[in-house]
Amino acid sequence: MTKATTPGHHHAAAAAAPGVYERRRYAPRTAAGLVLLVAGLAVLVGLPDPCTGQRESQLRLGKAVNVFLRYGYLSISMKVISYNDSERWLFKEPTNNIFKGLDLLKTEEYEVKPGIFNGDFHMEFCDNRRQLFQAYFRDFQIERLDSPWRAYTEGWHPEVAAKKLGIQSKYLERDDYCYVLVRVSRFRDSARFAKPIPPNQTLEPEVSRRVQSVAVGDTTSAVQFMNRYGTHYINAYVTGNSLYQVFVFNKRNYAHVKEKLKTRGVLALSRVDLHEHFAPWYVEHMGKIRCASGNATVEAWAARKLRLSYYVFTYSSLLKLHGDGALLRILSELLQNEAILQLDLRSLGVIFKDPAKRAWYEEILDNYLKLWEVNM
């Protein structure tokens, strides 16, 4: 149910991961106490959101996107973290239809049972700012990109990043601080392909014709194809909403707490012990509780209902949810389908049936991805 791991072991694709990672999946409190479970995900729902121009904007399986179009700023067109926007939208990135007959590929769908808090609670220990950004975007994958989180955060200035994360910018401007990201997520809808799209999958007629124009050794033809149709397709996603909070530590206190939780785990700590290490007199700075969708109503509820009092200190902490089934039941209703929580993008190289042409396309894609990672 829960786990504590060392750097690099959270996911196979993760690099330089934070030092301690705790994740729990919740159901409401029963007579026997809080039940921990691996919860299923919700039913697939398309989320159309038309945008101007010829290209549509839809978060649906198989849709193609161009990650270079807004590399470093993808959080502008995908609602993944708190943003100054009162409009209700999830996905504004332009997409293209590439494949035909995808309905014949079985997708696995899970329906949330009434009364179940279908989601998870987790905390990640981050030795530096880079690991903090990586931790937030851990469940966002972009195939063939070594550090997919950078596609969302590389364009962030410290002031912008701090506002999104709910902390003061001075704590991101120097390497004197460490961080713990605490997050409670509520899953609503999800979809994924049960198996990879096969190389012989039928394509849209126009796409099929343009595939023929991509020639091995001709960089321009490959780049033009990417610009017109995209670089990746949507392989899986989960939507819903979450609350998150960043705790900023000095390095000494951070090392102490990290080692304690690494060896004992969250479940082995008493509630008092847990609050002691994440209280105002121990942390350097307590971030505000933010909502992934930027829902001000939910944030106001959290600031009011998740308050703790200890001696002369009164403060709001997500850790108050730890083991509190009553609060989780209320939060389960508040966190609606307003943000993208997980996204998996796969390379469009699969559309090239000729192995040599596919290898050439992916070589160009790899080169451009590395250039973007270096130059941003």
Side-chain angles (χ1 to χ4, degrees):
M1 297 295 184
T2 60
K3 57 184 178 181
T5 61
T6 53
H9 287 78
H10 304 298
H11 292 281
V20 178
Y21 180 47
E22 291 281 351
R23 185 180 287 260
R24 305 175 64 185
R25 296 190 185 273
Y26 280 126
R29 183 184 298 275
T30 64
L34 190 67
V35 179
L36 301 181
L37 72 149
V38 179
L41 299 181
V43 179
L44 159 64
V45 174
L47 299 164
D49 185 6
C51 62
T52 58
Q54 294 183 344
R55 296 183 181 182
E56 61 186 347
S57 181
Q58 293 184 331
L59 179 60
R60 292 195 181 166
L61 296 186
K63 293 285 188 177
V65 299
N66 183 354
V67 299
F68 298 129
L69 192 62
R70 261 178 284 275
Y71 181 93
Y73 300 90
L74 283 178
S75 60
I76 292 176
S77 57
M78 303 180 191
K79 186 155 284 188
V80 294
I81 192 168
S82 187
Y83 190 69
N84 285 338
D85 188 349
S86 58
E87 296 179 8
R88 305 234 352 177
W89 61 275
L90 279 175
F91 189 83
K92 290 184 177 180
E93 191 67 18
T95 60
N96 284 293
N97 287 320
I98 298 294
F99 304 98
K100 291 177 68 70
L102 289 180
D103 53 321
L104 300 178
L105 291 178
K106 181 182 177 182
T107 61
E108 295 189 0
E109 303 173 358
Y110 301 86
E111 185 171 357
V112 179
K113 296 180 180 179
I116 295 294
F117 186 96
N118 184 35
D120 68 17
F121 165 91
H122 72 265
M123 59 169 53
E124 293 203 48
F125 281 64
C126 311
D127 296 350
N128 49 50
R129 181 180 67 177
R130 177 176 55 83
Q131 288 189 357
L132 176 60
F133 292 172
Q134 180 188 4
Y136 189 91
F137 289 97
R138 178 159 315 287
D139 292 323
F140 290 78
Q141 301 300 320
I142 301 176
E143 188 178 20
R144 311 190 77 83
L145 192 58
D146 293 333
S147 303
W149 53 273
R150 296 180 65 179
Y152 295 87
T153 65
E154 202 70 0
W156 289 0
H157 296 294
E159 296 81 8
V160 173
K163 191 167 187 179
K164 290 179 179 295
L165 293 168
I167 60 179
Q168 296 176 16
S169 60
K170 66 180 181 179
Y171 296 110
L172 292 176
E173 292 169 350
R174 303 200 311 269
D175 294 328
D176 300 337
Y177 305 104
C178 304
Y179 316 88
V180 175
L181 171 67
V182 178
R183 179 162 46 187
V184 179
S185 300
R186 172 64 160 95
F187 305 145
R188 289 290 177 183
D189 297 337
S190 74
R192 69 182 179 91
F193 286 118
K195 57 184 178 180
I197 295 177
N200 62 349
Q201 184 67 34
T202 305
L203 304 178
E204 293 287 345
E206 180 188 352
V207 177
S208 185
R209 288 192 295 270
R210 292 298 292 267
V211 163
Q212 303 307 316
S213 68
V214 177
V216 175
D218 184 354
T219 301
T220 301
S221 65
V223 173
Q224 287 178 340
F225 184 89
M226 294 178 194
N227 288 339
R228 174 62 184 86
Y229 294 104
T231 58
H232 293 74
Y233 69 89
I234 298 170
N235 181 65
Y237 65 80
V238 176
T239 60
N241 212 342
S242 69
L243 288 178
Y244 60 92
Q245 186 175 22
V246 176
F247 295 83
V248 183
F249 288 82
N250 62 44
K251 293 188 177 182
R252 180 178 60 83
N253 286 355
Y254 171 81
H256 174 73
V257 177
K258 176 180 175 181
E259 184 59 31
K260 194 167 187 178
L261 269 76
K262 182 178 178 180
T263 54
R264 296 175 60 185
V266 172
L267 293 180
L269 297 178
S270 70
R271 192 168 184 173
V272 173
D273 199 18
L274 188 61
H275 290 170
E276 175 81 19
H277 293 309
F278 290 86
W281 59 87
Y282 200 84
V283 303
E284 193 77 19
H285 173 63
M286 294 185 66
K288 297 178 181 178
I289 299 176
R290 303 304 305 267
C291 180
S293 68
N295 189 316
T297 301
V298 177
E299 289 182 352
W301 175 89
R304 186 175 66 255
K305 293 296 186 180
L306 301 183
R307 295 188 72 78
L308 293 169
S309 295
Y310 204 87
Y311 295 112
V312 298
F313 297 95
T314 301
Y315 56 96
S316 298
S317 174
L318 268 185
L319 293 175
K320 187 175 181 180
L321 289 168
H322 187 74
D324 194 321
L327 282 175
L328 282 170
R329 282 193 294 272
I330 298 172
L331 187 60
S332 180
E333 296 303 317
L334 289 175
L335 295 177
Q336 293 298 312
N337 199 36
E338 299 179 346
I340 302 171
L341 303 179
Q342 300 177 23
L343 184 64
D344 179 26
L345 302 179
R346 299 287 178 89
S347 166
L348 272 180
V350 68
I351 69 176
F352 297 97
K353 297 178 175 60
D354 179 3
K357 187 175 290 190
R358 186 185 315 128
W360 168 250
Y361 174 88
E362 292 187 334
E363 179 181 341
I364 299 302
L365 179 59
D366 287 345
N367 288 340
Y368 272 72
L369 288 171
K370 287 179 173 58
L371 283 173
W372 276 93
E373 282 190 310
V374 170
N375 292 328
M376 276 294 293

